[in-house]
Amino acid sequence: DSGVTQTPKHLITATGQRVTLRCSPRSGDLSVYWYQQSLDQGLQFLIQYYNGEERAKGNILERFSAQQFPDLHSELNLSSLELGDSALYFCASSVGGTSDEQYFGPGTRLTVT
Amino acid sequence: ILNVEQSPQSLHVQEGDSTNFTCSFPSSNFYALHWYRWETAKSPEALFVMTLNGDEKKKGRISATLNTKEGYSYLYIKGSQPEDSATYLCAFHDYKLSFGAGTTVTVRA
C-alpha cells in the first residue's frame, strides 16, 4: 500500500458525459501527478500540482482539467467523454518535485461506452 | 513529445542469471531520471530517482547507472529471481515526465 488513495476504482459512463476522479496523496506529500494509461499507449503524464499550484502540464486534453485543494487532495475532471478516453488513470504523489520518488495510487479504471 | 526509448522491449532470463537493459533519453534539459517496477495488475513502484551524471544507485539486487551527457541509463538485476518478473519503466523528467514503453522481464525458474 503506497498510501495514495484514488476513488472510484471503476467508473463506467457514456460518451458525452463528465466525470470526476479523486486522489488523496500520502500524508506530507505536496505534489500530485496525474497519468493516463490507454491500451494502445504507454503511461502518459497529464499534469502536476504542487501545494495547490499547477507545476507542469503534459499531454492533457482541453476537455480535461484538474485542481489541487487546500487539503492537498486533487481531482481530475474529464468532460465530453469519448470512447478513446477509456483508460486507467493513475495519481501519484511525492514530497516535493523532480528529484523525489513518486508513489502511485491503485488507479481508476474508466470505461466510456 | 520527447523520445524516451527502452531496449530491449522484453527479455527472458534464467533464474540466477544477471541481466541489464537500457533507457535512452534526450541529453538536454535534464532534471532527473526515474526507474519504476510495474507488476501486472499493480501500480508502478518507484525504484530509483537519479539526478547527477555518474549517479549509481542500488536497492538489493537491482542497481542503476546514469550518463546524462550521452543520454542513457542502465538497470541491472543481479541473480534474477522469479519475483523480479515485471515491466521496468524509465521516465525522463525535464519540466514534465516522459515515459519509455518499458522492458518486460520474465524470469524462468
Side-chain angles (χ1 to χ4, degrees):
Chain A
D1 184 0
S2 66
V4 179
T5 61
Q6 289 187 249
T7 56
K9 284 188 179 179
H10 302 276
L11 196 50
I12 302 174
T13 189
T15 54
Q17 294 299 304
R18 173 190 170 92
V19 297
T20 297
L21 312 183
R22 183 188 169 104
C23 169
S24 293
R26 291 188 324 154
S27 177
D29 284 359
L30 297 179
S31 273
V32 169
Y33 303 79
W34 285 98
Y35 299 94
Q36 179 193 57
Q37 193 214 359
S38 307
L39 274 176
D40 57 346
Q41 291 190 350
L43 205 54
Q44 300 287 320
F45 167 68
L46 296 178
I47 198 164
Q48 177 201 356
Y49 279 84
Y50 175 80
N51 203 22
E53 301 285 327
E54 183 184 304
R55 174 66 67 91
K57 193 177 270 192
N59 304 320
I60 188 166
L61 299 172
E62 286 191 12
R63 299 183 286 108
F64 296 1
S65 64
Q67 55 184 329
Q68 187 179 27
F69 294 87
D71 67 352
L72 301 177
H73 90 271
S74 178
E75 292 180 356
L76 179 67
N77 300 296
L78 315 176
S79 62
S80 303
L81 285 167
E82 303 174 358
L83 295 177
D85 298 327
S86 296
L88 186 54
Y89 291 85
F90 285 109
C91 162
S93 74
S94 68
V95 172
T98 320
S99 59
D100 296 321
E101 285 189 353
Q102 294 184 26
Y103 296 85
F104 279 71
T108 292
R109 169 76 64 187
L110 173 66
T111 303
V112 182
T113 62
Chain B
I1 297 176
L2 291 176
N3 202 13
V4 180
E5 296 184 351
Q6 292 188 246
S7 62
Q9 185 175 1
S10 64
L11 60 91
H12 291 79
V13 188
Q14 198 65 35
E15 182 176 359
D17 286 352
S18 297
T19 188
N20 64 84
F21 36 93
T22 310
C23 172
S24 301
F25 52 86
S27 54
S28 58
N29 299 321
F30 178 88
Y31 287 10
L33 187 83
H34 299 247
W35 278 103
Y36 296 91
R37 182 172 179 276
W38 196 355
E39 290 182 74
T40 303
K42 294 189 177 181
S43 304
E45 174 193 350
L47 286 174
F48 306 113
V49 181
M50 310 182 79
T51 56
L52 297 175
N53 185 43
D55 244 357
E56 291 187 23
K57 299 246 176 166
K58 187 175 180 182
K59 189 180 283 190
R61 294 179 292 97
I62 302 177
S63 60
T65 60
L66 179 69
N67 184 322
T68 59
K69 292 184 179 179
E70 296 183 36
Y72 65 83
S73 175
Y74 291 128
L75 192 84
Y76 300 88
I77 304 176
K78 183 178 178 181
S80 303
Q81 299 297 308
E83 58 264 31
D84 296 327
S85 296
T87 295
Y88 292 82
L89 286 178
C90 69
F92 172 75
H93 203 157
D94 52 1
Y95 70 95
K96 59 179 179 65
L97 289 112
S98 300
F99 284 81
T103 294
T104 299
V105 174
T106 304
V107 181
R108 297 178 290 218

